Amino acid sequence: MSDVAIVGAGTTKYGKHLDKSATDLAQLAVKEAIESAENISIEDFDGFVLSSQNPEILQKQGNSVNHFSEFLGIKAKFATRVEGACVSGSMGLITGYMAVKSGLVDLCLVVGVEKCYELPSSSDIMAAFSYVIDRDWEAALGSNAPMGFAMFATRHMSIYGTKEEQLAMVAVKNRKFASKNPKAHFQKPITIEDVLNSRPISKPLKLLDCCPVSDGASAVILTRKELAKNYTDTPVYIKGFGQYLINENVISSISDLTEFTALKIAAREAYKRAKIEPKDVDVAEVHDCFTIAEILEIEALGFCNKGEGGRFVEEGETDLGGKIPVNTGGGLLSRGHPIGATGICQAGIIFEQLRGEAPKGRAVDAEIGLTQNLGGWGTSQAVIIYSR
Amino acid sequence: MSDVAIVGAGTTKYGKHLDKSATDLAQLAVKEAIESAENISIEDFDGFVLSSQNPEILQKQGNSVNHFSEFLGIKAKFATRVEGACVSGSMGLITGYMAVKSGLVDLCLVVGVEKCYELPSSSDIMAAFSYVIDRDWEAALGSNAPMGFAMFATRHMSIYGTKEEQLAMVAVKNRKFASKNPKAHFQKPITIEDVLNSRPISKPLKLLDCCPVSDGASAVILTRKELAKNYTDTPVYIKGFGQYLINENVISSISDLTEFTALKIAAREAYKRAKIEPKDVDVAEVHDCFTIAEILEIEALGFCNKGEGGRFVEEGETDLGGKIPVNTGGGLLSRGHPIGATGICQAGIIFEQLRGEAPKGRAVDAEIGLTQNLGGWGTSQAVIIYSR
């Protein structure tokens, strides 16, 4: 299962882009992706997958794949928009993978985009995000993402003794990496005290335990293995992936709040397909929408044992020089989280790492990389494994 | 390219379902699909594709694939929502096809659903539909679907002499078929005079030239060819498909208003993959969102020559006993058009025809069937070819 290669990647800076539209952002990311490869122009794509979570509410615009094709100048014989809330980006990559793998297309552009700062107020943006959760059973009662992840954190702290300081260390590490990433939303280093003293959001999560709302777009270019060398001397291969969706979309139906059950299943499938074990992974980008999420993820991915995530972070095992550097691009916490773009940006960061192009201070000498992206309450999960 | 089989199909009645939610409708369609096959229970699906156009605006609900998985009881190792405006249903089928074909899943449930009559007024529903077209360049100026298709009609009438009576004949024929389809939104037969005398919408289109707004859900079950006989003695095979997206999403950028250029390309690809010619097709379900669309489609699909669609209909060639019976399920015009469901319902109608299960008055002795589904101004097209 290594028949599909990534031959190009690009991303906008993530942040508050008041002067750019969603299509502007997509154009910038696609331009950079094309320029990162050789011999590709926009007419060469015969596949186009667009990942975007909620342009209907954010831009009052549906039919996104048609809409963006006009602004990008794409004609395609396979084209679709995919949406799965925060896992939209990885769903797009997997859909693009299948289109290439099945021989349907030769050169597939996968673009993720979200333009959030277009609505009149922050509360409008928060309301748009609440569309991710069940309207009748949760959103209508005022629930939103921090509440649910705070419940995971509380439970993990109660059962395993995970500490608020350990959560804070996730944020500090990821901000340190972001300080070397000019595309990151937040780049100024922070301390554990900064996190602990930041404004309470949903106990035990403080402001700096939460990822920001970001605008941004990211793109990758997929092709068949045998065509890859036409476009770059250093392709990166998709070695395997696993996805899992579990029918626990309302938080009260989740059977265990100390783990991401769906991720354990998706990871097992991904490792099996890639014929590797967790210890073979050299660098990973995981979905740290909240600090607790990164801890649950390094456990479910098998980088450490269940319940030991907090200590694993505290001991520096997820930092440079540790067992498995995690979120060397800054993570959602600091790089930002333009929802549909995130999974695709993660792939771009691994692409950069495996090609040896990551800058000093966040470069890992890596042969195998992994991305993990989630939707909903972690009940929809995708893991993708890459190799040089 | 005949490795994927349809082994079950189900649909709700289409219409105004004030007493049912979107998830209620999906449950009914899935139940019928499961019951149309043997040896399948909901736990057996390992793939799940959801086609829905705009639940964000219609239900204030995003993350649909997670949301519906909870209400349907589905766990899946490949799951995504796809959206491409009115072609969402066929995009879902093609995505499900790829998931099965690539070996990712064994048994894939593809569900299309749209619940429109939930917004407070018809003008809210029309506003939701306007999300399909470009907000800044068209929707903000008050444009909506009938205007664009009226331009196609005007041009076709001007260049080829197509008559309003011929457009009306499309509506009359499709209503006749719908009168034998208890699942159709409108079942009472109409006459050419009824169409010509119906309320003007956008010249030359009258009310009965336009499909209604409908609620509904449809489902099909896909599996690999070698597994099909586990579930039914009479599977139907997907012989080939073609999709095409052209970057002409704003009507002023469309190069030729007398044809669906993208459909000609998609059809060519579908025929090539299925190794058949247009004359080999025994029965077709096409996307008659407006009467003119069916005429443009039978031309682009090669059932008749360009410009001759009106006469072809007038001569009865698209009726029972004609060269190619078209829209034997009643078409969008009479069966209804719950947007994300339409392409999937079309597949269900062909499934019924090829299994010899269509009732008298709309049964065709067919070996090969075809569905055609479009999005936007016909600039996103999908053609799927089926065989016994």
Side-chain angles (χ1 to χ4, degrees):
Chain A
M1 195 171 161
S2 58
D3 315 321
V4 176
I6 302 180
V7 294
T11 189
T12 65
K13 182 180 185 310
Y14 284 3
K16 198 185 269 197
H17 284 291
L18 296 179
D19 60 339
K20 292 185 183 66
S21 68
T23 47
D24 289 342
L25 293 168
Q27 286 171 337
L28 289 168
V30 170
K31 184 168 186 287
E32 188 173 293
I34 287 176
E35 289 173 355
S36 76
E38 287 163 42
N39 308 319
I40 296 179
S41 65
I42 197 79
E43 298 79 20
D44 297 330
F45 294 109
D46 55 357
F48 177 40
V49 179
L50 184 80
S51 299
S52 193
Q53 188 236 338
N54 204 341
E56 287 80 2
I57 299 296
L58 297 167
Q59 275 81 52
K60 317 281 181 227
Q61 181 67 62
N63 195 11
S64 313
V65 71
N66 251 314
H67 179 66
F68 281 82
S69 81
E70 170 114 22
F71 283 84
L72 292 169
I74 289 176
K75 296 179 173 69
K77 60 185 187 182
F78 173 74
T80 194
R81 170 221 180 171
V82 301
E83 182 271 322
C86 304
V87 75
S88 299
S90 290
M91 279 183 176
L93 286 166
I94 291 171
T95 303
Y97 173 95
M98 289 198 309
V100 171
K101 165 98 173 168
S102 65
L104 194 59
V105 301
D106 287 333
L107 196 65
C108 189
L109 179 65
V110 184
V111 181
V113 60
E114 216 75 49
K115 176 76 203 308
C116 304
Y117 290 101
E118 192 152 317
L119 294 178
S121 75
S122 293
S123 59
D124 287 312
I125 296 174
M126 284 301 117
F129 286 176
S130 76
Y131 280 56
V132 165
I133 59 180
D134 189 286
R135 180 192 66 173
D136 296 338
W137 292 90
E138 295 186 328
L141 309 173
S143 172
N144 213 328
M147 176 221 78
F149 285 89
M151 288 172 71
F152 278 100
T154 304
R155 191 80 184 140
H156 203 271
M157 290 165 72
S158 160
I159 302 286
Y160 297 112
T162 303
K163 297 185 173 57
E164 291 189 51
E165 290 76 7
Q166 292 169 334
L167 298 181
M169 287 169 192
V170 171
V172 171
K173 166 184 67 70
N174 293 355
R175 183 62 64 87
K176 187 186 71 175
F177 286 133
S179 74
K180 316 273 184 196
N181 181 359
K183 301 287 185 72
H185 192 156
F186 295 121
Q187 300 173 30
K188 192 180 149 202
I190 52 174
T191 65
I192 291 175
E193 290 66 38
D194 289 336
V195 183
L196 295 176
N197 295 328
S198 64
R199 179 158 62 88
I201 299 294
S202 185
K203 199 182 173 196
L205 303 177
K206 279 81 62 185
L207 184 67
L208 294 176
D209 287 298
C210 308
C211 72
V213 171
S214 312
D215 299 332
S218 301
V220 301
I221 300 171
L222 303 178
T223 191
R224 276 182 288 134
K225 186 177 186 174
E226 55 270 33
L227 300 176
K229 295 280 178 171
N230 297 342
Y231 306 116
T232 178
D233 293 332
T234 50
V236 162
Y237 300 99
I238 295 182
K239 269 183 88 72
F241 63 86
Q243 200 202 336
Y244 205 73
L245 172 73
I246 203 163
N247 55 333
E248 298 177 346
N249 190 45
V250 178
I251 206 161
S252 58
S253 66
I254 294 179
S255 43
D256 185 348
L257 282 169
T258 67
E259 66 169 31
F260 288 147
T261 309
L263 177 54
K264 289 166 72 177
I265 301 171
R268 194 169 59 215
E269 188 86 0
Y271 290 133
K272 198 175 88 185
R273 288 202 184 114
K275 300 192 177 72
I276 66 161
E277 295 179 45
K279 68 175 174 47
D280 300 321
V281 179
D282 299 312
V283 61
E285 291 291 310
V286 307
H287 192 101
D288 57 329
C289 46
F290 299 93
T291 49
I292 181 63
E294 182 164 319
I295 287 175
L296 296 176
E297 287 151 5
I298 58 179
E299 295 179 5
L301 287 164
F303 298 148
C304 64
N305 291 327
K306 184 167 175 179
E308 295 177 4
R311 249 178 305 156
F312 197 71
V313 170
E314 186 170 1
E315 288 163 3
E317 299 292 12
T318 55
D319 205 342
L320 285 191
K323 282 190 180 145
I324 169 79
V326 171
N327 280 330
T328 62
L332 284 62
L333 285 167
S334 287
R335 187 183 67 238
H337 182 30
I339 303 182
T342 286
I344 296 165
C345 188
Q346 291 178 323
I349 289 163
I350 296 298
F351 180 73
E352 186 186 44
Q353 286 284 11
L354 296 184
R355 284 157 52 113
E357 293 170 348
K360 199 159 170 287
R362 59 185 189 88
V364 179
D365 181 22
E367 297 217 355
I368 293 180
L370 176 149
T371 60
Q372 173 270 332
N373 190 196
L374 68 76
W377 300 123
T379 47
S380 179
Q381 293 274 358
V383 175
I384 305 178
I385 296 171
Y386 313 78
S387 70
R388 285 205 288 229
Chain B
M1 195 172 162
S2 57
D3 315 321
V4 176
I6 303 179
V7 294
T11 189
T12 65
K13 183 180 185 309
Y14 284 4
K16 197 184 270 197
H17 284 291
L18 297 179
D19 60 339
K20 292 185 184 66
S21 68
T23 47
D24 289 342
L25 293 169
Q27 286 171 338
L28 290 168
V30 170
K31 183 168 188 286
E32 187 173 293
I34 287 176
E35 289 173 355
S36 76
E38 287 163 42
N39 308 319
I40 296 180
S41 65
I42 196 80
E43 298 80 20
D44 297 329
F45 295 109
D46 55 357
F48 177 40
V49 179
L50 184 80
S51 299
S52 193
Q53 188 237 337
N54 205 341
E56 288 81 3
I57 299 296
L58 296 167
Q59 275 81 53
K60 317 283 181 224
Q61 181 66 61
N63 195 13
S64 313
V65 70
N66 251 313
H67 179 67
F68 281 83
S69 82
E70 170 115 21
F71 283 84
L72 292 169
I74 289 177
K75 296 179 172 70
K77 59 185 187 181
F78 174 74
T80 194
R81 171 221 179 171
V82 302
E83 181 271 321
C86 304
V87 75
S88 298
S90 290
M91 279 184 176
L93 286 166
I94 291 171
T95 303
Y97 173 95
M98 290 198 310
V100 171
K101 165 98 175 167
S102 65
L104 194 59
V105 301
D106 287 333
L107 196 66
C108 189
L109 179 65
V110 184
V111 181
V113 60
E114 216 75 49
K115 176 76 203 307
C116 304
Y117 290 102
E118 192 151 317
L119 295 178
S121 75
S122 292
S123 59
D124 287 312
I125 296 174
M126 285 300 117
F129 286 176
S130 76
Y131 280 56
V132 165
I133 59 179
D134 189 286
R135 181 192 65 172
D136 296 338
W137 292 91
E138 295 187 328
L141 309 173
S143 172
N144 213 328
M147 176 221 77
F149 285 89
M151 288 172 71
F152 278 100
T154 303
R155 191 80 184 139
H156 203 271
M157 290 165 72
S158 159
I159 302 286
Y160 297 112
T162 303
K163 296 185 173 57
E164 292 189 51
E165 290 76 8
Q166 292 169 334
L167 298 181
M169 287 169 192
V170 171
V172 171
K173 165 184 67 71
N174 293 355
R175 183 62 64 86
K176 186 187 71 176
F177 286 133
S179 73
K180 316 273 183 194
N181 181 359
K183 301 287 185 72
H185 192 156
F186 295 121
Q187 299 174 31
K188 192 180 149 203
I190 52 174
T191 65
I192 292 175
E193 290 65 38
D194 289 336
V195 183
L196 294 176
N197 295 329
S198 64
R199 180 159 60 88
I201 298 295
S202 185
K203 199 181 173 199
L205 303 177
K206 278 82 61 184
L207 184 68
L208 294 176
D209 287 298
C210 308
C211 72
V213 171
S214 312
D215 299 332
S218 301
V220 301
I221 300 170
L222 302 178
T223 191
R224 276 183 287 132
K225 187 177 186 173
E226 56 270 34
L227 300 176
K229 295 280 178 171
N230 297 342
Y231 305 117
T232 178
D233 292 332
T234 49
V236 163
Y237 300 100
I238 295 182
K239 269 182 88 72
F241 64 85
Q243 200 202 335
Y244 206 73
L245 172 73
I246 203 163
N247 56 333
E248 298 176 346
N249 191 44
V250 177
I251 205 160
S252 58
S253 66
I254 294 179
S255 44
D256 185 348
L257 282 169
T258 67
E259 66 169 31
F260 288 147
T261 308
L263 177 54
K264 288 167 72 178
I265 301 170
R268 195 170 58 216
E269 188 86 1
Y271 290 133
K272 198 176 87 184
R273 288 203 184 112
K275 300 193 177 71
I276 65 160
E277 294 178 46
K279 67 175 174 48
D280 300 321
V281 179
D282 299 311
V283 60
E285 290 292 309
V286 307
H287 192 100
D288 57 330
C289 45
F290 299 93
T291 49
I292 181 63
E294 181 164 319
I295 287 175
L296 296 175
E297 288 152 4
I298 58 179
E299 294 179 6
L301 287 164
F303 298 149
C304 63
N305 291 327
K306 185 168 175 179
E308 296 177 4
R311 248 178 305 157
F312 197 72
V313 170
E314 186 170 1
E315 288 163 3
E317 298 292 12
T318 56
D319 205 343
L320 285 191
K323 282 189 179 145
I324 169 79
V326 171
N327 280 330
T328 61
L332 284 63
L333 285 167
S334 287
R335 187 184 66 238
H337 182 29
I339 303 182
T342 286
I344 296 165
C345 188
Q346 290 178 323
I349 289 163
I350 295 298
F351 180 73
E352 185 187 45
Q353 285 284 11
L354 296 184
R355 284 157 51 113
E357 294 170 348
K360 199 158 170 288
R362 59 185 190 87
V364 179
D365 181 23
E367 296 217 354
I368 293 180
L370 176 150
T371 60
Q372 174 270 333
N373 190 197
L374 68 77
W377 299 123
T379 48
S380 179
Q381 292 275 358
V383 175
I384 305 178
I385 296 171
Y386 312 78
S387 70
R388 284 205 289 228

